[in-house]
Amino acid sequence: MQGYRALNEMIDYIETHLEEKIEDSVLARILGVNVYTMRQIFSFVFGMTVRDYIRKRRLSNAGVDLLLKKPKIADLALEYQYQNATSFSRAFERFHGVKPSRVSSLGRLKNFPKLHLLENNEEIIPFEYQVLSLDSQILYGFGFETTEKTIGLEAPLFYQKINQAYSSEEGPSFGMITYKDETRVNCTGYFVLYKSQLREAQRIVVPASKWLCFRISSQDPKEIQAMSHKFYLEFLPACKYKLKALPELEYYHDGVTDFLVPIY
């Protein structure tokens, strides 16, 4: 277990020095081995080189900086240890699939999360997201009180119940999860919402906001829950966005689900 702790310390060091020059000799000292052995251990455990990991984390964070801070590309290149804007832009486009100059208009980015070392060596897979600005919406539906421990079982059953009760209507457009505050630790409720006004339905106003949008290629509850877990376990620990004290949304459309998390 000492080896696991040392590797996690090395990952933590990388995370706090992404905007600085990271020397392999320093990483090797954290592991207590020479540089060659450090590189071999990292590649064996994580399936990538340490330099490739650092590159992916820097480019992942650079995408967030472009959206939030709108810096000059040349300044961002220097900040993340690229020699010039041209080499940074090429690397950025290969990673995100979009030129840095077009990030603000398209808003589609790829996240590569900070590694977390598990004994079963779980594979870390990057996933794409968008930042969307949505107007205020008036929705109608039904909800119940729940907790983070019970929502996984209760929400799919409640959704099915409401969908069957209003089978003559077009299917629900949204699922909504409410939380106690912006830390999103304590889940308080789940709602099934429609765009059209239904009998006995509660009127819900979702304020205008920016949202992190993670697309799921189905409307299967298990896949939606898997994305939620992935967000909280992998994306959030290294997230540079500030979360907002608004509900979380699941938008069902065209056979897919958009998992939406509110941000400032």
Side-chain angles (χ1 to χ4, degrees):
M1 295 304 293
Q2 177 111 15
Y4 287 129
R5 283 195 294 271
L7 276 168
N8 282 326
E9 287 176 15
M10 188 176 114
I11 291 167
D12 289 340
Y13 176 87
I14 290 171
E15 193 66 23
T16 57
H17 293 80
L18 287 174
E19 298 173 11
E20 304 168 25
K21 186 175 182 180
I22 299 174
E23 300 284 359
D24 282 2
S25 58
V26 175
L27 301 181
R29 282 200 297 273
I30 294 173
L31 284 189
V33 297
N34 59 42
V35 169
Y36 174 80
T37 303
M38 179 275 294
R39 291 171 179 165
Q40 293 295 104
I41 290 173
F42 193 95
S43 296
F44 176 77
V45 173
F46 296 112
M48 70 184 83
T49 67
V50 66
R51 286 291 128 193
D52 195 34
Y53 172 66
I54 293 171
R55 177 185 62 82
K56 289 177 178 178
R57 286 295 300 132
R58 283 173 170 164
L59 291 171
S60 183
N61 282 357
V64 178
D65 289 345
L66 272 175
L67 277 174
L68 295 182
K69 303 176 183 176
K70 297 180 173 51
K72 292 181 180 179
I73 294 174
D75 293 341
L76 197 59
L78 291 175
E79 183 177 342
Y80 284 106
Q81 305 300 304
Y82 282 82
Q83 291 184 343
N84 52 60
T86 300
S87 60
F88 169 77
S89 296
R90 288 173 179 167
F92 189 95
E93 185 175 8
R94 283 196 299 269
F95 180 78
H96 288 286
V98 61
K99 295 179 184 296
S101 58
R102 299 197 65 200
V103 164
S104 295
S105 60
L106 294 179
R108 179 176 288 111
L109 295 170
K110 182 182 290 184
N111 172 69
F112 191 88
K114 175 186 174 184
L115 289 172
H116 58 282
L117 188 62
L118 302 178
E119 290 189 41
N120 61 3
N121 194 24
E122 177 183 295
E123 184 180 6
I124 300 295
I125 302 174
F127 51 106
E128 293 185 353
Y129 68 98
Q130 288 180 275
V131 175
L132 304 178
S133 293
L134 301 179
D135 294 333
S136 175
Q137 299 182 76
I138 298 176
L139 302 170
Y140 303 89
F142 309 87
F144 69 97
E145 293 183 358
T146 187
T147 70
E148 62 275 7
K149 294 181 179 179
T150 58
I151 189 172
L153 292 174
E154 294 176 338
L157 295 175
F158 186 75
Y159 177 95
Q160 186 178 26
K161 174 185 174 181
I162 298 299
N163 194 27
Q164 289 176 350
Y166 293 88
S167 58
S168 60
E169 301 286 338
E170 186 177 346
S173 297
F174 290 91
M176 184 176 77
I177 304 111
T178 57
Y179 291 87
K180 187 176 181 180
D181 54 39
E182 69 275 4
T183 62
R184 318 193 81 72
V185 173
N186 298 309
C187 171
T188 58
Y190 175 78
F191 293 76
V192 177
L193 302 175
Y194 294 75
K195 292 182 179 180
S196 57
Q197 189 168 2
L198 305 177
R199 65 185 186 278
E200 301 177 353
Q202 181 179 352
R203 183 177 182 269
I204 302 289
V205 178
V206 180
S209 179
K210 286 185 178 180
W211 306 79
L212 294 175
C213 174
F214 304 87
R215 178 151 294 179
I216 305 156
S217 59
S218 78
Q219 296 178 1
D220 185 293
K222 291 183 179 179
E223 293 192 29
I224 296 171
Q225 290 175 14
M227 175 57 77
S228 176
H229 292 159
K230 190 176 178 72
F231 170 79
Y232 283 103
L233 291 174
E234 297 181 13
F235 189 95
L236 190 57
C239 180
K240 299 181 72 174
Y241 297 102
K242 187 176 180 181
L243 301 186
K244 204 171 185 177
L246 288 177
E248 201 169 84
L249 297 177
E250 299 164 0
Y251 175 38
Y252 316 117
H253 65 102
D254 304 314
V256 303
T257 304
D258 288 338
F259 178 67
L260 300 163
V261 180
I263 58 171
Y264 286 101

